[in-house]
């Protein structure tokens, strides 16, 4: 009988011990997982705090670097008219200075800069999407509610606008003076605003007049390079007259490329030409009115312009 009991115990005891051991192991594993989870939470918190500190340091370094870059041209005023941006002297301008806000955080576009309370007109940095590089732009935060990204400016003829396709594609000039932002940038700016679209505004001043004219279009889009940076524009309002609707649907042309390259060559400019134009704001800057009006910086082939500026805003 004792032998039988011993035999039974010998048979079941290993399984009992095994079950007991397994239960203990599971409890131990649960404790270890909980401990690791706590450590992971702490590590994640530390990483988040470190990234925030790095972002702050990076922004501070951008500010200091930008400060070093503009220090030689800093304005000598008792108070900074560009606060919190840098004031940079430029005696070729009427104001004798411009504001450099490139040390501010990088935003989606000028509208986002404005919406975030950055209301000083000047140079900023934008990043149109996660798939594109940061771009320096000039933001107009005064005109018509602010938040405008300036695409083009003509003011004194200091920049040559009779350029080839590649130069118009990437952009050229000085953002605080005369420039073209670049067709690829125009395309990406309108593409990232596809939900509600973009509006565009043309501000201008004709020669011999001190008053400004303007034309605003509630719908503005420039398609990709593969489609020739085709223009889509509609919804006019303003006091300058509707002359851009004529260019609606046209592809961009320069003297060396485009469906209307002959127009670009003949009129010494580049634009969305349509046999040939009603607007030629990229034409020759003719200070002394020596050229035919159609070859000059014009609006409606009526007004020879002293000043021209194109700006876009996401709706």
């Amino acid at each position: 009988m004792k032998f039988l009991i011993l035999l039974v115990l010998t048979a079941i005891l290993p399984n009992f011990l095994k079950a007991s051991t397994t239960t203990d192991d599971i409890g131990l594993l649960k404790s270890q997982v909980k401990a690791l989870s706590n450590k992971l939470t702490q590590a994640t918190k530390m990483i988040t705090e470190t990234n925030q500190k790095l972002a702050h340091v990076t922004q501070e370094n951008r500010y200091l670097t930008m400060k070093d870059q503009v220090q030689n041209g800093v304005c000598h005023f008792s108070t900074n008219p560009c606060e919190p941006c840098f004031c940079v002297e430029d005696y070729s301008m009427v104001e004798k200075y411009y504001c450099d806000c490139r040390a501010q955080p990088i935003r989606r576009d000028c509208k986002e800069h404005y919406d975030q309370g950055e209301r000083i007109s000047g140079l900023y940095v934008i990043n149109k999407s996660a798939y594109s590089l940061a771009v320096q732009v000039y933001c107009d935060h005064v005109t018509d509610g602010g938040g405008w990204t300036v695409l083009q400016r003509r003011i004194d003829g200091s920049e040559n606008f009779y350029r080839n396709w590649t130069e118009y594609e990437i952009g050229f000039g000085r953002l605080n003076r005369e420039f073209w932002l670049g067709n690829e940038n125009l395309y990406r700016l309108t593409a990232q605003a596809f939900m509600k679209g973009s509006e565009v505004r043309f501000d201008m001043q004709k020669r011999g007049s001190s008053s400004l004219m303007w034309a605003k279009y509630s719908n503005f889009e420039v398609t990709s390079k593969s489609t020739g940076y085709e223009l889509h524009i509609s919804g006019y309002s303003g006091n300058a007259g509707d002359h851009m609707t004529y260019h609606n649907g046209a592809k961009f042309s320069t003297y060396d490329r485009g469906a209307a390259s002959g127009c670009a060559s003949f009129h010494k400019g580049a634009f969305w030409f349509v046999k040939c134009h009603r607007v030629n704001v990229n034409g020759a800057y003719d200070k002394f009115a020596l050229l035919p009006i159609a070859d000059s910086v014009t609006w409606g082939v009526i007004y020879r312009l002293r000043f021209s500026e194109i700006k876009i805003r996401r709706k």
Side-chain angles (χ1 to χ4, degrees), residues 275-286:
K275 297 188 181 298
C276 278
H277 68 78
R278 300 278 178 84
V279 173
N280 191 27
V281 290
N282 290 337
Y285 195 91
D286 188 13

Side-chain angles (χ1 to χ4, degrees), residues 53-172:
K53 290 179 181 178
L54 285 173
H56 176 76
V57 171
T58 299
Q59 184 63 27
E60 184 67 21
N61 287 339
R62 281 187 72 237
Y63 179 86
L64 293 174
T65 300
M66 198 64 63
K67 184 177 180 180
D68 289 340
Q69 290 176 354
V70 303
Q71 192 66 48
N72 293 333
V74 69
C75 300
H76 301 290
F77 297 121
S78 57
T79 58
N80 181 6
C82 297
E83 186 67 33
C85 304
F86 299 112
C87 179
V88 185
E89 288 184 344
D90 186 343
Y91 283 90
S92 64
M93 302 178 67
V94 174
E95 300 84 358
K96 309 304 180 188
Y97 72 91
Y98 65 91
C99 298
D100 189 335
C101 304
R102 291 176 295 171
Q104 299 298 310
I106 300 173
R107 310 286 188 194
R108 177 180 177 181
D109 51 20
C110 288
K111 184 178 188 299
E112 187 172 89
H113 276 292
Y114 185 88
D115 291 343
Q116 292 298 319
E118 296 154 15
R119 305 293 175 83
I120 300 296
S121 294
L123 273 59
Y124 287 83
V125 181
I126 65 170
N127 189 358
K128 300 174 293 304
S129 73
Y131 308 102
S132 60
L133 298 174
V135 176
Q136 297 182 38
V137 298
Y138 191 96
C139 295
D140 178 349
H141 290 324
V142 176
T143 305
D144 190 16
W148 296 95
T149 303
V150 181
L151 309 180
Q152 180 257 28
R153 186 186 299 117
R154 308 296 300 278
I155 195 168
D156 59 7
S158 58
E159 195 69 43
N160 175 26
F161 273 67
Y162 188 46
R163 294 176 179 252
N164 63 32
W165 177 272
T166 301
E167 290 173 296
Y168 267 95
E169 181 180 349
I170 63 177
F172 56 85

Side-chain angles (χ1 to χ4, degrees), residues 197-209:
S198 300
E199 55 187 345
V200 68
R201 181 180 171 108
F202 296 78
D203 286 312
M204 65 204 83
Q205 184 180 36
K206 64 181 179 179
R207 291 192 176 279
S209 173

